[in-house]
Amino acid sequence: MILKWPGGKKWLYKKHRSLFPHSYNTYIEPFFGGGSIFFSLMPNKAFLADTNPRLVNLFNMLRDDYENLFYDTLKLIETHSAKQYYEIRDKFNDPIQESPVQFLYLNRTCFNGVYRENKKGEFNVPIGKRNSSYFPFELDDFLQCSRTLKNSTIQCSDFRETIRRAKKGDFIYVDPPYIKYEEDYDAFRKYNKQVFSINDLEDLSEELHKIKNKCKILISNFDIALVKELFADWEYKIVEQRTYISGKGKGRKSVKEALIYNYNY
Protein backbone atom coordinates (compact mmCIF):
# COMPACT_ATOMS: atom_id res chain seq x y z
CA MET A 1 0.00 0.00 0.00
CA ILE A 2 1.41 3.37 -0.99
CA LEU A 3 -1.36 5.34 0.75
CA LYS A 4 -1.80 5.92 4.45
CA TRP A 5 -5.54 5.40 4.87
CA PRO A 6 -7.36 5.52 8.23
CA GLY A 7 -9.74 2.61 8.60
CA GLY A 8 -7.68 0.43 6.25
CA LYS A 9 -8.10 -3.34 6.54
CA LYS A 10 -4.57 -4.66 6.19
CA TRP A 11 -5.04 -6.26 9.60
CA LEU A 12 -8.11 -8.15 8.41
CA TYR A 13 -6.26 -10.15 5.78
CA LYS A 14 -3.33 -10.80 8.11
CA LYS A 15 -5.45 -12.08 10.99
CA HIS A 16 -8.35 -13.72 9.11
CA ARG A 17 -6.89 -14.83 5.79
CA SER A 18 -8.86 -18.08 5.86
CA LEU A 19 -12.10 -16.09 5.72
CA PHE A 20 -11.45 -14.99 2.13
CA PRO A 21 -12.66 -17.28 -0.67
CA HIS A 22 -10.07 -18.89 -2.94
CA SER A 23 -12.15 -19.15 -6.11
CA TYR A 24 -14.33 -16.52 -7.77
CA ASN A 25 -14.65 -14.73 -11.09
CA THR A 26 -14.28 -10.96 -10.65
CA TYR A 27 -13.25 -9.28 -7.41
CA ILE A 28 -15.45 -6.23 -6.73
CA GLU A 29 -14.83 -3.54 -4.13
CA PRO A 30 -17.32 -0.63 -4.01
CA PHE A 31 -15.49 1.30 -1.24
CA PHE A 32 -11.91 1.00 -2.44
CA GLY A 33 -10.17 3.52 -0.16
CA GLY A 34 -6.51 2.61 0.24
CA GLY A 35 -7.01 -0.82 -1.32
CA SER A 36 -5.32 -2.93 1.35
CA ILE A 37 -7.51 -6.01 0.80
CA PHE A 38 -7.15 -5.83 -2.97
CA PHE A 39 -3.36 -5.60 -2.80
CA SER A 40 -3.29 -8.47 -0.32
CA LEU A 41 -5.49 -10.74 -2.48
CA MET A 42 -3.97 -9.71 -5.84
CA PRO A 43 -6.97 -11.00 -7.85
CA ASN A 44 -6.66 -11.80 -11.54
CA LYS A 45 -9.56 -9.54 -12.46
CA ALA A 46 -11.17 -6.71 -10.50
CA PHE A 47 -13.66 -3.88 -10.61
CA LEU A 48 -12.73 -1.21 -8.06
CA ALA A 49 -14.76 1.86 -7.23
CA ASP A 50 -14.86 4.84 -4.91
CA THR A 51 -16.84 8.09 -4.82
CA ASN A 52 -13.65 10.12 -4.44
CA PRO A 53 -12.51 11.10 -7.98
CA ARG A 54 -9.09 12.20 -6.71
CA LEU A 55 -8.49 8.75 -5.26
CA VAL A 56 -9.60 7.07 -8.48
CA ASN A 57 -7.26 9.30 -10.53
CA LEU A 58 -4.36 8.38 -8.26
CA PHE A 59 -4.83 4.63 -8.69
CA ASN A 60 -5.31 4.99 -12.43
CA MET A 61 -1.97 6.82 -12.61
CA LEU A 62 -0.36 4.17 -10.42
CA ARG A 63 -1.56 1.53 -12.87
CA ASP A 64 -0.75 3.39 -16.10
CA ASP A 65 2.15 5.73 -15.28
CA TYR A 66 3.79 4.45 -12.10
CA GLU A 67 7.30 5.77 -12.88
CA ASN A 68 6.26 9.41 -13.15
CA LEU A 69 4.05 9.06 -10.09
CA PHE A 70 7.01 7.71 -8.09
CA TYR A 71 9.68 10.18 -9.21
CA ASP A 72 7.48 13.29 -9.18
CA THR A 73 6.22 12.49 -5.69
CA LEU A 74 9.74 11.74 -4.49
CA LYS A 75 10.88 15.19 -5.66
CA LEU A 76 8.22 16.83 -3.51
CA ILE A 77 9.06 14.61 -0.55
CA GLU A 78 12.73 15.58 -0.78
CA THR A 79 11.88 19.30 -0.60
CA HIS A 80 9.11 18.90 1.98
CA SER A 81 8.48 21.83 4.31
CA ALA A 82 5.48 23.46 5.96
CA LYS A 83 5.54 26.25 3.38
CA GLN A 84 5.59 23.77 0.50
CA TYR A 85 2.89 21.61 2.08
CA TYR A 86 0.34 24.41 2.21
CA GLU A 87 1.29 25.66 -1.26
CA ILE A 88 0.68 22.17 -2.66
CA ARG A 89 -2.55 21.87 -0.69
CA ASP A 90 -3.81 25.12 -2.28
CA LYS A 91 -2.93 23.83 -5.75
CA PHE A 92 -4.60 20.49 -4.99
CA ASN A 93 -7.82 22.36 -4.15
CA ASP A 94 -7.76 24.11 -7.52
CA PRO A 95 -9.53 21.84 -10.07
CA ILE A 96 -7.27 23.18 -12.82
CA GLN A 97 -4.00 22.43 -10.99
CA GLU A 98 -4.75 19.32 -8.91
CA SER A 99 -2.90 16.10 -9.71
CA PRO A 100 -2.41 12.55 -8.36
CA VAL A 101 1.18 13.47 -7.48
CA GLN A 102 -0.07 16.23 -5.19
CA PHE A 103 -2.55 13.80 -3.64
CA LEU A 104 0.14 11.25 -2.82
CA TYR A 105 2.53 13.88 -1.45
CA LEU A 106 -0.17 15.35 0.80
CA ASN A 107 -1.26 11.90 1.94
CA ARG A 108 2.28 10.95 2.99
CA THR A 109 2.94 14.22 4.84
CA CYS A 110 -0.43 15.26 6.31
CA PHE A 111 -1.70 14.58 9.82
CA ASN A 112 -2.16 10.83 10.34
CA GLY A 113 -2.78 10.20 6.65
CA VAL A 114 -6.33 11.49 7.12
CA TYR A 115 -8.37 12.42 4.05
CA ARG A 116 -11.01 15.00 4.88
CA GLU A 117 -12.88 17.63 2.87
CA ASN A 118 -14.80 20.69 4.02
CA LYS A 119 -18.29 21.55 2.77
CA LYS A 120 -16.77 23.12 -0.34
CA GLY A 121 -15.06 19.87 -1.21
CA GLU A 122 -11.60 21.22 -0.31
CA PHE A 123 -8.95 19.04 1.32
CA ASN A 124 -8.31 20.72 4.68
CA VAL A 125 -6.04 18.38 6.69
CA PRO A 126 -3.06 20.12 8.34
CA ILE A 127 0.56 19.08 7.99
CA GLY A 128 1.70 16.10 10.05
CA LYS A 129 4.46 16.11 12.65
CA ARG A 130 5.67 12.51 12.70
CA ASN A 131 9.38 11.69 12.58
CA SER A 132 9.13 8.48 10.55
CA SER A 133 9.98 8.24 6.87
CA TYR A 134 7.50 10.03 4.69
CA PHE A 135 8.14 7.87 1.63
CA PRO A 136 9.53 4.40 2.48
CA PHE A 137 9.29 3.08 -1.08
CA GLU A 138 11.43 2.08 -4.03
CA LEU A 139 10.41 2.27 -7.68
CA ASP A 140 9.91 -1.50 -7.63
CA ASP A 141 7.14 -1.11 -5.03
CA PHE A 142 5.22 1.06 -7.48
CA LEU A 143 5.93 -1.39 -10.30
CA GLN A 144 4.45 -4.25 -8.27
CA CYS A 145 1.34 -2.20 -7.49
CA SER A 146 0.99 -1.30 -11.16
CA ARG A 147 1.19 -4.95 -12.16
CA THR A 148 -1.41 -5.92 -9.56
CA LEU A 149 -3.75 -3.25 -10.95
CA LYS A 150 -3.10 -4.22 -14.59
CA ASN A 151 -6.33 -6.19 -15.09
CA SER A 152 -8.49 -3.91 -12.98
CA THR A 153 -11.08 -1.33 -13.88
CA ILE A 154 -10.97 1.62 -11.46
CA GLN A 155 -14.00 3.87 -11.58
CA CYS A 156 -15.58 6.75 -9.68
CA SER A 157 -19.06 5.52 -8.86
CA ASP A 158 -21.61 5.10 -6.10
CA PHE A 159 -21.77 1.76 -4.26
CA ARG A 160 -25.25 1.07 -5.64
CA GLU A 161 -24.03 1.28 -9.22
CA THR A 162 -20.98 -0.82 -8.44
CA ILE A 163 -22.86 -3.62 -6.69
CA ARG A 164 -25.39 -3.83 -9.53
CA ARG A 165 -22.54 -4.77 -11.89
CA ALA A 166 -21.92 -8.01 -10.00
CA LYS A 167 -22.46 -11.28 -11.84
CA LYS A 168 -22.84 -14.85 -10.66
CA GLY A 169 -19.63 -16.19 -9.17
CA ASP A 170 -18.11 -12.81 -8.29
CA PHE A 171 -16.65 -11.96 -4.88
CA ILE A 172 -17.54 -8.61 -3.31
CA TYR A 173 -15.66 -7.15 -0.37
CA VAL A 174 -17.64 -4.34 1.26
CA ASP A 175 -16.02 -1.95 3.74
CA PRO A 176 -18.24 1.14 3.95
CA PRO A 177 -17.50 4.19 6.08
CA TYR A 178 -18.70 3.14 9.51
CA ILE A 179 -21.69 4.79 11.11
CA LYS A 180 -20.76 7.06 14.02
CA TYR A 181 -19.54 4.93 16.89
CA GLU A 182 -18.63 7.56 19.44
CA GLU A 183 -18.17 11.28 19.87
CA ASP A 184 -15.96 12.91 17.20
CA TYR A 185 -15.61 9.68 15.18
CA ASP A 186 -17.17 11.28 12.09
CA ALA A 187 -14.24 13.66 11.90
CA PHE A 188 -12.07 10.72 10.87
CA ARG A 189 -14.59 8.95 8.63
CA LYS A 190 -15.77 12.01 6.70
CA TYR A 191 -13.38 11.58 3.78
CA ASN A 192 -15.68 13.41 1.38
CA LYS A 193 -17.94 16.39 1.99
CA GLN A 194 -20.88 14.00 2.47
CA VAL A 195 -20.92 11.55 5.38
CA PHE A 196 -22.11 7.98 4.79
CA SER A 197 -25.51 7.93 6.52
CA ILE A 198 -27.82 5.41 8.14
CA ASN A 199 -29.99 5.60 5.02
CA ASP A 200 -26.95 4.69 2.93
CA LEU A 201 -26.24 1.70 5.16
CA GLU A 202 -29.84 0.56 4.79
CA ASP A 203 -29.61 0.93 1.01
CA LEU A 204 -26.36 -1.03 1.06
CA SER A 205 -27.99 -3.86 2.97
CA GLU A 206 -30.88 -3.94 0.49
CA GLU A 207 -28.56 -4.05 -2.54
CA LEU A 208 -26.48 -6.86 -1.05
CA HIS A 209 -29.54 -8.92 -0.14
CA LYS A 210 -30.59 -8.78 -3.81
CA ILE A 211 -27.41 -10.56 -4.97
CA LYS A 212 -26.82 -12.71 -1.91
CA ASN A 213 -27.63 -15.94 -3.74
CA LYS A 214 -25.34 -15.39 -6.72
CA CYS A 215 -22.16 -13.83 -5.26
CA LYS A 216 -19.78 -14.41 -2.39
CA ILE A 217 -19.93 -11.35 -0.14
CA LEU A 218 -17.81 -10.27 2.82
CA ILE A 219 -18.73 -7.16 4.79
CA SER A 220 -16.83 -5.45 7.60
CA ASN A 221 -18.38 -2.96 10.01
CA PHE A 222 -18.74 -2.09 13.67
CA ASP A 223 -20.51 -4.68 15.80
CA ILE A 224 -23.53 -2.53 16.66
CA ALA A 225 -27.26 -3.21 16.96
CA LEU A 226 -28.17 -1.62 13.62
CA VAL A 227 -25.65 -3.72 11.71
CA LYS A 228 -26.88 -6.90 13.42
CA GLU A 229 -30.46 -6.00 12.52
CA LEU A 230 -29.72 -5.26 8.86
CA PHE A 231 -27.74 -8.47 8.36
CA ALA A 232 -29.66 -10.75 10.75
CA ASP A 233 -29.81 -13.67 8.31
CA TRP A 234 -26.08 -13.64 7.42
CA GLU A 235 -23.11 -15.41 8.99
CA TYR A 236 -21.81 -13.04 11.65
CA LYS A 237 -18.39 -13.13 13.30
CA ILE A 238 -17.25 -10.69 15.99
CA VAL A 239 -13.57 -9.78 16.27
CA GLU A 240 -11.68 -7.23 18.35
CA GLN A 241 -9.38 -4.79 16.65
CA ARG A 242 -7.27 -1.88 17.83
CA THR A 243 -8.41 1.27 16.06
CA TYR A 244 -5.95 3.96 15.04
CA ILE A 245 -8.36 6.49 13.57
CA SER A 246 -7.91 9.09 16.29
CA GLY A 247 -4.75 11.12 16.46
CA LYS A 248 -4.90 11.18 20.26
CA GLY A 249 -3.56 8.36 22.37
CA LYS A 250 -6.82 8.01 24.29
CA GLY A 251 -8.64 7.55 20.99
CA ARG A 252 -6.61 4.47 20.09
CA LYS A 253 -8.59 1.65 21.61
CA SER A 254 -9.92 -1.83 20.98
CA VAL A 255 -13.34 -2.00 19.37
CA LYS A 256 -15.56 -4.89 18.35
CA GLU A 257 -15.92 -5.29 14.60
CA ALA A 258 -18.29 -7.52 12.70
CA LEU A 259 -17.32 -9.71 9.76
CA ILE A 260 -20.47 -10.62 7.86
CA TYR A 261 -20.54 -13.14 5.02
CA ASN A 262 -22.75 -15.55 3.06
CA TYR A 263 -20.48 -18.50 2.22
CA ASN A 264 -18.63 -21.39 3.83
CA TYR A 265 -14.89 -21.18 4.35
Side-chain angles (χ1 to χ4, degrees):
M1 284 178 58
I2 65 167
L3 282 179
K4 292 177 66 67
W5 205 254
K9 291 299 185 294
K10 189 175 182 179
W11 64 268
L12 175 56
Y13 186 76
K14 282 186 174 181
K15 293 184 178 181
H16 305 280
R17 185 176 303 189
S18 63
L19 188 58
F20 290 85
H22 297 289
S23 61
Y24 48 85
N25 295 330
T26 300
Y27 173 81
I28 298 176
E29 191 167 348
F31 302 95
F32 191 52
S36 57
I37 294 297
F38 167 80
F39 287 108
S40 296
L41 290 175
M42 295 188 293
N44 293 325
K45 183 181 179 183
F47 185 89
L48 313 170
D50 201 280
T51 57
N52 186 335
R54 291 163 159 175
L55 186 69
V56 170
N57 290 339
L58 171 62
F59 280 110
N60 275 317
M61 185 173 184
L62 178 60
R63 181 191 61 198
D64 301 331
D65 192 13
Y66 72 91
E67 285 194 53
N68 281 326
L69 179 62
F70 174 82
Y71 285 117
D72 290 350
T73 305
L74 182 60
K75 287 178 183 177
L76 290 177
I77 293 290
E78 290 175 340
T79 57
H80 175 62
S81 67
K83 180 175 182 292
Q84 176 180 279
Y85 177 88
Y86 289 105
E87 288 176 349
I88 296 297
R89 194 178 75 169
D90 288 342
K91 289 181 179 179
F92 184 61
N93 286 324
D94 180 346
I96 297 176
Q97 299 186 73
E98 75 169 70
S99 74
V101 171
Q102 295 164 1
F103 189 155
L104 185 53
Y105 164 72
L106 292 171
N107 172 264
R108 299 304 309 183
T109 57
C110 74
F111 174 74
N112 253 22
V114 170
Y115 187 88
R116 183 184 62 213
E117 294 178 356
N118 60 23
K119 292 182 179 179
K120 296 179 181 180
E122 297 171 335
F123 178 76
N124 63 355
V125 180
I127 191 171
K129 297 181 180 180
R130 66 183 185 278
N131 295 320
S132 59
S133 174
Y134 290 114
F135 205 60
F137 306 109
E138 302 292 339
L139 179 61
D140 188 62
D141 296 318
F142 279 53
L143 170 60
Q144 296 307 316
C145 288
S146 178
R147 286 175 173 170
T148 303
L149 289 164
K150 182 179 180 181
N151 295 320
S152 299
T153 298
I154 314 167
Q155 180 174 301
C156 185
S157 64
D158 176 80
F159 70 85
R160 300 166 186 84
E161 178 185 348
T162 303
I163 290 171
R164 290 168 189 167
R165 296 178 62 97
K167 296 180 174 60
K168 186 175 181 180
D170 291 344
F171 170 48
I172 309 174
Y173 173 59
V174 186
D175 182 39
Y178 292 2
I179 298 300
K180 189 172 182 179
Y181 183 76
E182 58 185 17
E183 185 179 358
D184 294 333
Y185 192 80
D186 275 353
F188 292 91
R189 293 299 294 189
K190 187 179 178 182
Y191 299 138
N192 300 318
K193 54 187 175 181
Q194 292 184 341
V195 175
F196 190 82
S197 69
I198 290 178
N199 287 339
D200 289 324
L201 183 59
E202 291 172 343
D203 285 353
L204 176 62
S205 173
E206 183 178 339
E207 292 293 338
L208 293 175
H209 273 84
K210 291 177 183 177
I211 60 170
K212 184 181 178 184
N213 293 327
K214 72 175 184 179
C215 299
K216 295 176 181 177
I217 303 169
L218 173 62
I219 308 153
S220 49
N221 213 302
F222 278 142
D223 173 38
I224 56 176
L226 176 60
V227 172
K228 287 181 178 178
E229 178 183 339
L230 291 175
F231 297 96
D233 55 343
W234 295 61
E235 297 296 323
Y236 196 98
K237 180 177 183 178
I238 300 172
V239 298
E240 282 203 4
Q241 172 60 21
R242 187 95 173 158
T243 177
Y244 294 92
I245 295 295
S246 174
K248 300 179 181 180
K250 66 179 182 181
R252 302 179 183 227
K253 60 182 69 174
S254 292
V255 297
K256 288 185 177 180
E257 296 213 14
L259 303 178
I260 306 157
Y261 51 97
N262 67 334
Y263 52 87
N264 295 321
Y265 70 96

